[in-house]
């Protein structure tokens, strides 16, 4: 009897596990709960809202509830959606302010971790609502100007985004024509499965947007052609913004019915909505034969899911961003042979660099500015490793993707911080740019082990930069403002008069370029 009871209980346990697995799989495949807001817009929202809904509901990707706000001049005190009931809120609204209670509820929803997607003219909304403008990063019209923040554009000659605080209104577009989107961050989940460039059908190409641009990562841009009334700039088209614990996807695409029939709009909206809701994208990749840079592709929004799948056209190079670089992987190349400084050159300062016991030793020079021993070669996407031992009292760093100014040769760009504990070791600083710390939050102060060599691991891919000290991840950020290509530099920091000398030692410097 005891044997039979044991078998019965074991069978029940197996059935319970099986039932739980089915329930978990069902939950994972459950459509996203989306709240789509409309009701006012200087665009034809009654025509575009059903198409946005169809795009998101295609293939049971989402379950969309439409909330229509009161019309212009009508009482809005009763418009109070229960935002917390949804995974993500999508806005097709450009109109009058909501009640203060609804605004506060929406702020709390996003800052506490809710997802938000702003579509086309929704970035014209609420010019006087501070939190909303921080959510969308950049906006246009509504009296926006330099008081609201910078213009942000990609500069092809500098290979980076710039911020322009010059005077001027916010918001502009030329004639509606097809245009090419160029992916600027292929490592982000939204763009990792897309071609590197692809055409959108005739649409309004927004330019001269400006705003706080805080915690913002620009995923794709498009050139606003002066020949069609544009700005002559590479303008941001797809963006992500972090607002508190929440995620925001901002697309300027989707002016009208014709624009929403573009696969570029449909595909990026679906991927951006999933990311805003979950922080990840599980939708299949979209190949260049379905969404190319040669001809704008169109499709029925209700069949938007049909384009997904097939051979991935643009990937994250097989990089596992959840793990540190693998030192056993193929492709690592030594940048220092332990004997000489071939392949390196000194810039700025008067610190001395020598080779001793298989290490590069940098020694401070009293009264000298920061000194750098720089690689002769430039690098774009890569994984980098080195061991370093810095004297207490000295802070140092390794420049990545850095440049030197034509006048004076001053080195500038992202720097991986090296400092004895407690300190900022492993965080990212923008050397000589005026930006200060790129890594704004710095909770870990003791990862660096004093008086011994520490192994650093660095990954730079697109706008994403990750840093580990040993097996502890210190930084994982998006940095769209820095160059994505440049030299490496071993820094010996300047010191105050009457201090030092101090030394910093590097060894086993290797790089693995990512294609």
């Amino acid at each position: 009897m005891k044997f039979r009871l044991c078998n019965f209980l074991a069978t029940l346990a197996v059935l319970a596990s099986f039932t739980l697995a089915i329930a978990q799989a069902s939950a994972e495949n459950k459509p996203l709960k989306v709240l789509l807001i409309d009701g006012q817009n200087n665009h034809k929202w009654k025509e575009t809202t059903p198409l946005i809904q169809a795009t998101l509901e295609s293939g049971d990707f989402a379950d969309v509830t439409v909330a229509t706000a009161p019309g212009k001049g009508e009482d809005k005190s009763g418009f109070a959606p229960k935002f917390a009931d949804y995974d993500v809120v999508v806005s097709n609204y450009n109109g009058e302010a909501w009640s203060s209670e609804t605004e506060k509820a929406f702020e709390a929803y996003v800052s506490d971790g809710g997802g938000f997607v702003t579509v086309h003219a929704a970035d014209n909304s609420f010019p006087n609502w501070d939190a909303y403008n921080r959510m969308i990063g950049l906006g246009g019209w509504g009296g926006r100007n330099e008081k609201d923040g910078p213009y942000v554009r990609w500069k092809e000659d500098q290979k980076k985004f710039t911020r322009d605080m010059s005077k001027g209104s916010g918001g502009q577009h030329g004639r509606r024509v097809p245009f090419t989107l160029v992916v600027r961050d292929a490592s982000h989940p939204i763009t990792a499965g897309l071609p590197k460039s692809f055409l959108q059908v005739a649409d309004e190409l927004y330019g001269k947007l400006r705003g706080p641009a805080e915690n913002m990562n620009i995923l794709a841009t498009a050139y606003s052609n002066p020949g069609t009334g544009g700005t002559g700039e590479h303008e941001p088209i797809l963006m992500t913004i972090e607002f508190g614990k929440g995620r925001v996807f901002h697309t300027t695409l989707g002016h009208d019915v014709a624009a929403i029939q573009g696969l570029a709009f449909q595909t990026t909206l679906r991927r951006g909505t999933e990311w805003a809701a979950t922080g990840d994208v599980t939708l299949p990749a979209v190949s260049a034969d379905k969404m190319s840079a040669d001809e704008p592709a169109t499709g029925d929004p209700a069949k938007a899911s049909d384009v997904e799948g097939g051979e991935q056209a643009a990937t994250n190079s097989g990089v596992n961003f959840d793990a540190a670089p693998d030192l056993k992987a193929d492709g690592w190349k030594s940048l220092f042979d332990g004997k000489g400084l071939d392949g390196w050159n000194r810039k700025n300062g008067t610190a001395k660099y020598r080779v001793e016991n298989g290490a590069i030793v940098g020694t401070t020079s009293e009264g000298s500015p920061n000194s750098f021993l720089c690689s002769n070669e430039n690098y774009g996407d890569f994984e980098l490793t080195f061991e370093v031992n810095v004297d207490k009292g000295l802070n140092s760093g390794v420049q990545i993707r850095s440049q030197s100014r034509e006048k004076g040769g001053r080195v500038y760009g992202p720097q991986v911080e090296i400092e004895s504990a407690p300190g900022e070791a492993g965080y990212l600083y923008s050397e000589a740019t005026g930006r200060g710390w790129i890594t704004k939050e710095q909770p870990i102060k003791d990862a660096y082990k004093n008086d011994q060599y520490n192994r650093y691991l660095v990954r730079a891919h697109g706008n994403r930069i990750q840093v580990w000290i040993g097996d502890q991840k210190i930084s994982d950020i998006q940095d769209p403002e820095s160059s994505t290509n440049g030299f490496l530099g071993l820094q010996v920091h300047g010191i105050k008069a009457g201090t030092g000398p101090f030394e910093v030692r590097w060894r086993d410097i290797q790089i693995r370029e990512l294609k």
Side-chain angles (χ1 to χ4, degrees):
M1 183 67 182
K2 184 177 180 181
F3 176 75
R4 290 179 179 176
L5 179 61
C6 289
N7 282 344
F8 176 69
L9 292 175
T11 301
L12 284 180
V14 170
L15 288 173
S17 298
F18 181 68
T19 302
L20 178 61
I22 292 175
Q24 289 174 337
S26 176
E28 289 174 359
N29 295 325
K30 190 176 181 180
L32 295 175
K33 293 189 68 176
V34 177
L35 179 67
L36 174 55
I37 298 177
D38 64 10
Q40 290 186 45
N41 206 314
N42 59 325
H43 296 61
K44 296 179 180 180
W45 61 269
K46 291 182 180 179
E47 295 180 3
T48 57
T49 285
L51 300 183
I52 293 172
Q53 181 175 1
T55 298
L56 294 174
E57 290 186 336
S58 178
D60 294 323
F61 171 67
D63 179 9
V64 179
T65 299
V66 178
T68 299
K72 188 174 183 180
E74 297 178 3
D75 179 20
K76 296 174 185 61
S77 60
F79 180 68
K82 294 183 178 179
F83 301 113
D85 291 347
Y86 300 91
D87 299 314
V88 59
V89 174
V90 178
S91 179
N92 190 30
Y93 182 89
N94 175 24
E96 295 172 324
W98 299 337
S99 69
S100 60
E101 292 79 11
T102 299
E103 288 184 354
K104 289 177 183 177
F106 185 64
E107 288 179 33
Y109 164 76
V110 179
S111 64
D112 289 344
F116 177 43
V117 175
T118 170
V119 177
H120 196 59
D123 67 15
N124 301 183
S125 290
F126 312 125
N128 299 316
W129 181 2
D130 177 69
Y132 184 84
N133 285 280
R134 288 189 287 121
M135 288 181 209
I136 65 173
L138 299 171
W141 295 273
R144 289 178 172 90
N145 57 30
E146 63 275 4
K147 67 177 171 49
D148 297 288
Y151 301 120
V152 182
R153 276 84 168 252
W154 173 265
K155 296 296 184 181
E156 190 63 32
D157 57 340
Q158 301 178 45
K159 299 297 181 184
K160 69 175 185 178
F161 288 98
T162 62
R163 296 182 175 226
D164 178 1
M165 283 301 299
S166 61
K167 292 183 178 181
S169 59
Q172 186 268 0
H173 63 78
R175 297 191 297 276
R176 292 197 295 277
V177 294
F179 52 83
T180 301
L181 277 75
V182 178
V183 173
R184 301 298 181 184
D185 183 3
S187 68
H188 194 280
I190 295 172
T191 47
L194 300 180
K196 292 182 179 179
S197 62
F198 48 91
L199 272 166
Q200 163 67 342
V201 298
D203 201 345
E204 284 182 343
L205 196 168
Y206 278 0
K208 296 182 69 175
L209 299 182
R210 60 191 320 164
E214 299 171 354
N215 305 312
M216 181 178 73
N217 183 30
I218 299 174
L219 305 182
T221 63
Y223 180 66
S224 180
N225 193 332
T228 57
T231 62
E233 300 280 358
H234 296 271
E235 300 284 2
I237 302 297
L238 306 177
M239 295 155 267
T240 62
I241 302 95
E242 295 178 5
F243 182 81
K245 297 178 182 178
R247 293 172 295 273
V248 181
F249 173 63
H250 180 170
T251 174
T252 68
L253 303 177
H255 168 74
D256 57 10
V257 169
I260 290 176
Q261 289 174 337
L263 294 189
F265 172 82
Q266 295 170 21
T267 300
T268 55
L269 177 68
R270 286 165 62 86
R271 297 178 72 86
T273 300
E274 184 178 16
W275 176 83
T278 69
D280 197 10
V281 175
T282 61
L283 291 169
V286 176
S287 60
D289 63 341
K290 294 181 178 178
M291 201 165 73
S292 77
D294 298 323
E295 184 175 352
T298 61
D300 181 353
K303 297 180 180 180
S305 61
D306 292 354
V307 73
E308 295 159 351
E311 183 180 354
Q312 187 162 338
T315 71
N316 59 10
S317 301
V319 176
N320 179 7
F321 290 97
D322 293 329
D326 182 3
L327 295 179
K328 296 181 180 179
D330 294 334
W332 287 99
K333 179 178 71 172
S334 177
L335 298 180
F336 169 56
D337 64 6
K339 300 176 182 178
L341 297 178
D342 291 344
W344 298 85
N345 66 92
R346 197 181 73 186
K347 299 181 188 293
N348 309 152
T350 58
K352 300 294 191 292
Y353 293 89
R354 69 183 190 276
V355 176
E356 182 178 284
N357 297 325
I360 297 175
V361 182
T363 305
T364 57
S365 176
E366 189 174 333
S368 170
N370 295 348
S371 303
F372 303 88
L373 185 67
C374 301
S375 65
N376 292 343
E377 299 294 327
N378 287 352
Y379 301 97
D381 291 347
F382 59 82
E383 293 174 338
L384 174 72
T385 187
F386 56 86
E387 288 188 322
V388 63
N389 185 357
V390 64
D391 287 351
K392 289 181 182 179
L394 178 64
N395 101 39
S396 178
V398 170
Q399 298 291 133
I400 61 172
R401 294 168 157 181
S402 292
Q403 320 289 321
S404 61
R405 295 193 173 92
E406 290 184 11
K407 186 176 181 179
R410 181 67 165 94
V411 170
Y412 66 95
Q415 179 188 117
V416 179
E417 185 75 1
I418 298 168
E419 186 177 16
S420 56
E424 288 78 29
Y427 296 112
L428 288 145
Y429 183 80
S430 188
E431 177 76 13
T433 66
R435 291 175 59 198
W437 287 103
I438 304 171
T439 317
K440 302 300 183 184
E441 297 182 6
Q442 303 180 355
I444 304 169
K445 300 290 187 179
D446 60 354
Y448 188 92
K449 306 305 179 187
N450 296 339
D451 302 317
Q452 66 183 62
Y453 276 97
N454 288 253
R455 169 73 63 182
Y456 274 63
L457 296 153
V458 180
R459 178 183 291 126
H461 189 280
N463 293 334
R464 189 171 184 177
I465 302 175
Q466 298 174 294
V467 181
W468 288 258
I469 299 179
D471 59 2
Q472 187 172 13
K473 182 189 284 186
I474 310 300
S475 295
D476 190 345
I477 64 163
Q478 298 284 346
D479 179 26
E481 294 184 50
S482 297
S483 171
T484 54
N485 190 282
F487 55 73
L488 310 175
L490 311 182
Q491 184 204 56
V492 174
H493 204 281
I495 59 172
K496 295 179 181 179
T499 61
F502 301 107
E503 291 187 338
V504 54
R505 306 156 194 86
W506 293 271
R507 68 185 186 189
D508 192 23
I509 307 169
Q510 300 181 63
I511 197 163
R512 178 174 178 256
E513 295 188 75
L514 303 174
K515 303 300 182 184

